[in-house]
Amino acid sequence: MKKYLYIIIGTMMIGNVFAQNKNMTDTIFSIREVEVVGTNLKKNEVGKLNVPLQYLPLSVTTVSANTLDMRGIVNMQDAVKFLPNTRMRTTYGAYQQFEVRGFDFTPIMIDGVRDERTSITNSAPLPDLSSVESIELLKGPASVLYGHSTVGGVLNVIRKAPTSKNTLNALMSYGSWDNKRAMIDFGGKFFGPFNYRAVVNWSDNEGYRYTNDKRFSGYFALGGQLDAKQELDIRAGFNRDWYGTEIGLPQLMANDVYNTDGSKYLSKGDMLPGLNRRWRYNNESDFMINNGSNVSVRYSNKVSESLKIENRLAYNYDNIDYFSTETLSYMESADPIYSHYYMKVDAKTKEQTKQYISLDTVQLTYPLRFAYTVHVINEQLEASGKIEFDNGMKYNYLGGYNFVYFYRNTYRGYGGTNPQTNKTYQLSDLIDGPGLNSKVPVYNPHSMGYMDPLFSAGTATRNITNGVYLQNLLELSDQFKVMASGRFDHFLFKTATATINPISKERKYSDQPEFDKTTTSAFTYRLGAVYLPATNLSVYGSFANFFMPYRDIVSSNIIYINGEGNRFEPKDGDQAFKPQTGYQGEIGVRYSHNNILQATASAFYIRKNNEKKTLKTGVVEDGVTKSVVGVVGSSESKGFELELTLTPVDNAALSFGYGYTDATIRDIKKNEYMEEEIQKGMRLAGIPKNTFFAAGNYRISKGVFSNLGFNLTVSYTDNVYRTVDKGVVYPAYWLTDLGISYKLKNGIQLRANVNNVFDEKYYNQSLGTQMVPSMPRNYLFTLAYSL
């Protein structure tokens, strides 16, 4: 496949080497290739209403594809550095979790359609950015716009639209650790009134950590004006991705460790000395495959100036297949057979005894096997328009209905019970091969044999959402705008635990009982106002709420604790816990000057209530082992953001962004089952207090070095606690990236990028206390062609 793709792209480049060169125009400020990033003062999609953003009491940041292309960025986790007060963490090598303004429930949308995986499970592998035109981030709660579980915000990925202009963009890249990529993007007139756009992307990367990720994706869009009023847009895409999973380095020390002579060797939280950051401890059988496809059809009819009807129907398919080593355990013994020990404390007597530990071998003790298939249907019907009154007032509205059906069948190979024999499966029943519980040398890791896993059980879930909404913006005058919007959602969750008997490699349930179900309904709103003392200056404020349903089915194996710390007994079919709710208050200001300067500043306060947590496991009552789940309190996040984009001349641009977030536990409800030392005021896990970026582009326009361009990006992420008890801390780090490009008159462009110029050694993720090293200094060379 890769040979054919390289040949096709190379042939197109050579065949068009003398074609006329046409400047690419960015999507935001129209300042050629020097656009970086900024707050879009024009119309945006994520705000829904067809008015300029400065009329809306919302905070939105936009990043264009051009910004990413110049820096060789094709993955979402690298793009978020341009979004202040955000962080994206990657787990298991591919699952990505997006955090905004202190909270990690931030659904991701593709062309305005929610990726329900990120709304339901809060974490999912994401497609590459090869077909992306721009990225919009609406910050803060947005349930009134997009329904449940929109706490931190909403990220909208906008793909490239069909174009009537003959377009051809192609590139081939090669970088550090055998990073290879080829992409082709073309479009133009198709037939009749229809235009098209098509993108194919392929990459193969050995990777700094030997993950050997492989990605292949395609996208096709067809659209056009059927007549003066009607428009049709059809888009489809697919991805075929293979990831090597990632479990990191051996665990940090859980206790102070001593030599056998009693001298201290390592302190609690230390990493073993002498580890190579490239050493890989995964088993040879570990893998993760993600195959997905999607199609959407959007039809719009502008009946009149005051009424536009739009219908969007989308279908998404996602298939995950995962097997990976996870826990790396040190060998331990009460006998002095190893050369180090720590003091083990008895939970009951509090007595301390020596526990001997081997630090030169780790055991692969808990491989995880799961897979799932997801189907999603999303139907959205909207009516919008603008009504002008005789007194000069204008009324903008958008009313709609949204239906979402989410189908997911999950299969697992790490537990389950045979309904005929009532036998509970152990890992040894489900995994064949010498790799299970194998022992791997710490200082020269290598596989000790394969593993061959089976499925034993699964879970079928269905979510059905119905939402009706009305967005209202009243323009009282040129200076005053008022928003009052509301939405009602009904959320139905159904689940059933299934068995696979006999255990098998196939995804096929042998027995699935009737679904248990629970429902949640909620009304959400946004109230806001905008004041424009001048056409280039706007001040805004808003108050909005959100809701996030729990998907708890009442079980006799759970002890339920309410917000007062008391035990209660919910009835079958009832909600065990009311949904999480909360609100945001926000004020902000925007300023622009002649497309030279764009600046925004905003301050916010978010509160999230009715949070629950598993407080304890292994509680035995009447011979039954139970878990304790209870409401533990509330959390809050407050902070501010500053963003600035300066384009003094056509061939230069500077952009800055700073975000401050103070996300903490606001209130904690103590009860007899709570074992963790969680206190009011403790900082939430996963959230950096300070984030910053500065980016600049410059292209020489005259003289011998005409068309020579440079770009620089500096970003900062503050330290992050993995857990609220500060058990693992990812230290703060600065990254500096440099790029240089040269555009020939025949449309060919040469680019070179150096990322992490100063070779910062940092960590941004871990599996438990198994730290995953991030990439050191790396290079990327690109040959690109544009028609």
Side-chain angles (χ1 to χ4, degrees), residues 58 141-145 147 468-471 483-489 522-528 542-547 582-584:
L58 307 173
S143 285
V144 70
L145 289 169
V468 291
Y469 49 92
L470 181 61
Q471 316 294 323
M483 170 175 278
S485 302
R487 177 177 177 129
F488 178 82
D489 284 283
F523 176 76
T524 53
Y525 59 87
R526 184 187 298 273
L527 302 174
S542 69
F543 188 89
N545 70 337
F546 66 87
F547 85 104
Y583 59 83
Q584 172 187 264

Side-chain angles (χ1 to χ4, degrees), residues 59 112 132 164 211 241 389 391 411 469 496 542 597 611 731:
S59 292
V132 170
S164 61
T211 53
D241 299 332
F389 301 99
N391 60 3
Y411 309 85
Y469 49 92
S542 69
L597 173 67
E611 299 187 66

